[in-house]
Amino acid sequence: MGRLVMQYGAPAAVEAIRARALPPEFAAQEAQRAHEAKQDRTPDLTARLNAWQARLAAADPAADLEAGERSGARLIIPGSPEWPTQLDQLGLGRPLGLWLHGAADLRFSCLRSVAVVGARAATAYGAHIAAEFGVGLSESGWSVVSGGAFGVDGAVHRGALAGGSPTVVVLACGVDVCYPADHDTLFAAVRDQGVVISECPPGVHPTRARFLIRNRLIAALSRGTVVVEAALRSGALNTAAHALSLNRHLGAVPGPVTSGMSAGCHKLLRERKAVCVTSPEEMIDLVGVIGDDLATPSRPPAVPRDKLNETTRKVLDAIPVRGGAGPASIAVAAGVSLDAALSALGGLAAAGYIERTTSGWRLRKQTASYRKAPDSAVLEPPLTPESDPTDEPPFPDDDFRA
Amino acid sequence: MGRLVMQYGAPAAVEAIRARALPPEFAAQEAQRAHEAKQDRTPDLTARLNAWQARLAAADPAADLEAGERSGARLIIPGSPEWPTQLDQLGLGRPLGLWLHGAADLRFSCLRSVAVVGARAATAYGAHIAAEFGVGLSESGWSVVSGGAFGVDGAVHRGALAGGSPTVVVLACGVDVCYPADHDTLFAAVRDQGVVISECPPGVHPTRARFLIRNRLIAALSRGTVVVEAALRSGALNTAAHALSLNRHLGAVPGPVTSGMSAGCHKLLRERKAVCVTSPEEMIDLVGVIGDDLATPSRPPAVPRDKLNETTRKVLDAIPVRGGAGPASIAVAAGVSLDAALSALGGLAAAGYIERTTSGWRLRKQTASYRKAPDSAVLEPPLTPESDPTDEPPFPDDDFRA
């Protein structure tokens, strides 16, 4: 309130109060007026006021309530038990009320929730990841908040439904309007298990502006937002911007740099606005309780060789693949004493790493390639994807612990 | 020197001095000794010294020089005109000398160079990106430093050769040893246009340890390192760690989260150790001269609608797709005055966005979908990949500027 008075003087403040009775477009007006103020273009307040009054005259709250009731929707306002108080962080942009249609309790559903957003024209990759996130979050007891569009939105809600947790669809039109029309069965399923919500009264149809206004709710309802796929020009990036402005966590799922639909995610990562998130666990790690919801850190696979001690490993490295070498030359090559080399050779032979030939010690083929491992306590089948297909000496890839 | 004395006392210091005459494995010994010191395991210095002396006795520098000359290689040492002084940052780990074989001048080639590293078992995606980076860097006058392995190493060198700049292959074996053998033609091409280098004397074969030791050279020679593809257990991550310890720039190329070969890159990004790099330009932006080598920032595509002013855009949003609406109701829906609405409608009709029907104004189909645009100064063919395939109202994706 005070901010408004400072910014535009009393008339606008009055208008702001009156605007409380107006449709959500008010938020957009707010944003634009702030924008104009920045550009020192003083808005024609009188014209605005008249326009809004015309609108106010056209509004019919009683009819809206009746229509909502008919469609089975309910209206909640700040103070209602089901009101998600985190919306208060939107300040003047807080919705005047929300229309809900569904079995789930909105406030409860959003306590542990993640917004999963992304492109409508998602690739097969994006849709797959979105579905995986939906299932993963849902099975971990986290609910999903997203829009109702094709692509990522639809995929993540389907995944969340499969996972059995409530899911929240935030529409840019009335909750009784099915947009896109092909999502009627999806929305029906969401109403059974989750809730479909909107700040638009029943019967209102979507416009560009309403989608952008809607996005702030998706960001504000959830603990954090993850962008699955987004082109450089994308509504998902708009939601991401809202999440950042609300100081909520922001994650981005990387994808092929050859895919334009991941360019938006990579931009967020490159500008360090978003954390790189590759799994639902990592997203929960980001938004969850510190210490409680940690994701299991991605560890490099262990290989039998790791169990060998330093000296033995050096000796193993010094043993040729072809031909053969005597203990003395192996000791020199490994840079260890002859005694150490001899004992190491015994152990390696027993473990099936090396074999003695007429020409001396050499690696056993399957050791070099970590393929078929002999029955041995030390040598287990390899876990590493880096196993060497050739019978050349194994590469350092098998040697390095990240 | 002083560090060593503090750590192990005089004997080790003496050994360190002597070690200057020893093969590069000394660096590994250094590392391991530091490791043992951390674990309070005092190393058996005498045994080490004996082992090294045995090795020293086996060394034959004269024969090495002769063999090198025969193979056409040259040996450079610190102080040689061709010596890359950035190697001095390796401290005690600085190579004692380098064997070079190739037409290019190593020092000059590394002035503007990027290390491109990645998995040997690269996917088609990784190989494609590596080749693109090779060409891109090369054509921008940057040379590539990498290993000589299959996968990313080979692909980036081939790309660099195609781009016409010198490329540097750092081997973990003697420069006269072709490992892997199938890369003989590639190495021949590199010798013509770039240079093949190694700190190992001629005839030395690769071992695990040598690959890890070699990696520090790749990181130290270049201005920065970019990891194209790496599994969680990967030599490329070892090179990345070297780059970080040398305070060089580190970039990582994202990939599908479903690909294990990108898991290492995503780990670097998630831990914010690496910058997300999606193109050669972005890597040059990272390592290049501030201001001079900036990458063109990725911008969202522009659409004709962007050219419309605020009021006109609001009016356009308020016009229905089907049926039709009169100016008055449009003005109310748009929240603008009737005069403003009327003038906007005229302009939109002239620009071919809307049409007048018996029932009032409505969107023209191709406007809603941004498909076939009429000949108009305002309405140009769409640049955005987000164009809507349906004749539903266009989505906010077309509305949002990142």
Side-chain angles (χ1 to χ4, degrees), chain A residues 85-108:
Chain A
T85 47
Q86 60 265 40
L87 290 180
D88 300 351
Q89 292 176 27
L90 287 168
L92 275 172
R94 182 180 77 169
L96 310 167
L98 286 174
W99 294 88
L100 318 184
H101 192 181
D105 176 292
L106 178 62
R107 181 176 197 166
F108 180 79

Side-chain angles (χ1 to χ4, degrees), chain A residues 29 32 48 51 54-55 58 119-121 125 128-129 149 179 181 206-209 211-212 231-235 237-238 253-258 261 266-267 269-270 272-278 282 285 298-303 305-306 310 314 316-317 332-337 370 384-389 392-402, chain B residues 29 32 48 51 54-55 58 119-121 125 128-129 149 179 206-209 211-212 231-235 237-238 241 253-258 261 266-267 269-270 272-278 282 285 295 298-303 305-306 310 314 316-317 332-337 370 384-388 392-402:
Chain A
Q29 294 281 329
Q32 187 208 332
R48 286 263 169 69
R55 253 188 122 149
R120 199 174 63 265
Y125 169 73
H128 170 77
I129 300 301
Y179 184 84
T207 64
R208 275 200 187 76
F211 279 104
L212 290 172
L232 288 174
R233 186 187 184 105
S234 157
L237 293 184
N238 171 250
V253 179
V257 297
T258 47
M261 294 313 285
H266 295 152
K267 193 166 195 285
L269 290 173
R270 184 165 166 74
R272 308 224 165 182
K273 288 178 179 169
V275 176
C276 179
V277 168
T278 66
E282 288 183 355
D285 181 321
S298 53
R299 292 200 185 292
V303 295
R305 213 171 159 289
D306 301 336
E310 197 59 40
K314 266 191 255 160
L316 180 57
D317 281 348
V332 171
V336 302
S337 69
Y370 283 137
T384 163
E386 285 285 279
S387 67
D388 195 319
E392 310 268 18
F395 278 73
D397 303 45
D398 305 316
D399 207 307
F400 174 69
R401 308 302 308 261
Chain B
Q29 293 281 327
Q32 187 209 333
R48 285 263 169 69
R55 254 190 120 149
R120 197 175 64 266
Y125 169 73
H128 170 78
I129 301 301
Y179 184 85
T207 65
R208 274 199 188 79
F211 279 104
L212 290 171
L232 287 174
R233 185 187 186 103
S234 157
L237 293 184
N238 170 252
V253 179
V257 297
T258 48
M261 294 313 286
H266 295 153
K267 193 167 195 284
L269 290 174
R270 184 165 166 74
R272 308 224 165 182
K273 288 178 180 170
V275 176
C276 178
V277 169
T278 65
E282 287 183 354
D285 182 321
S298 52
R299 293 200 186 293
V303 296
R305 214 173 159 290
D306 300 337
E310 198 59 41
K314 266 191 257 161
L316 180 56
D317 281 347
V332 170
V336 302
S337 70
Y370 282 138
T384 164
E386 286 285 281
S387 67
D388 194 319
E392 311 268 19
F395 279 76
D397 301 48
D398 305 316
D399 207 305
F400 174 68
R401 309 301 311 260

